[in-house]
Amino acid sequence: MARILVTDDAAFMRMQLKDIVTKLGHEVVGEAENGQVAVDMYQEVKPDLVTMDITMPEMNGVEALKEIKKLDADAKVIMCSAMGQQGMVVEAIQAGAKDFIVKPFTADRINEALTKAL
């Protein structure tokens, strides 16, 4: 069982992810509505893994990923985004993301990404 921080600017997506992650037997230790909140929360709750949306206000997911990696080089982050923008995916992977999930996602795909990252 992993301790997970869910990051997405859409409350509905956070709820959906939280539901799937919990049903898979993991614990959601925090929810962040943008990258800046995720970075701050990461330091507080020290999760085993972070799910990170890319397109968010204040600080986007790729910027937040880079900040979290500065705090903890071993941080495990899985990017989630509806955008099929190859550039963003490549940038996120180069910045250290463990996996990339395209929305809308399935519980199986999330389980696969969590298993791979953990």
Side-chain angles (χ1 to χ4, degrees):
M1 181 185 80
R3 299 170 68 255
I4 298 174
L5 170 61
V6 175
T7 311
D8 200 302
D9 56 330
F12 172 74
M13 290 309 299
R14 289 198 309 270
M15 193 177 74
Q16 206 178 10
L17 256 173
K18 205 167 125 176
D19 190 45
I20 292 170
V21 164
T22 313
K23 282 180 178 153
L24 290 170
H26 302 288
E27 179 189 359
V28 175
V29 293
E31 288 183 53
E33 63 276 5
N34 65 53
Q36 186 59 60
V37 174
V39 172
D40 297 341
M41 282 188 89
Y42 187 87
Q43 295 176 82
E44 277 175 48
V45 299
K46 303 199 179 355
D48 300 319
L49 185 133
V50 180
T51 63
M52 183 78 70
D53 184 24
I54 287 188
T55 314
M56 295 181 289
E58 281 188 58
M59 181 189 286
N60 76 36
V62 176
E63 291 168 0
L65 166 66
K66 290 175 181 172
E67 289 302 310
I68 287 172
K69 282 296 208 177
K70 281 183 202 167
L71 297 168
D72 177 4
D74 298 324
K76 294 175 178 70
V77 180
I78 295 174
M79 307 306 284
C80 304
S81 184
M83 298 184 316
Q85 287 188 333
Q86 287 308 110
M88 285 288 211
V89 176
V90 171
E91 190 181 349
I93 298 296
Q94 285 172 340
K98 295 286 181 202
D99 205 341
F100 192 91
I101 301 171
V102 179
K103 295 176 191 170
F105 36 69
T106 63
D108 287 344
R109 178 64 188 102
I110 290 175
N111 193 32
E112 179 189 316
L114 292 175
T115 304
K116 183 175 142 186
L118 297 165

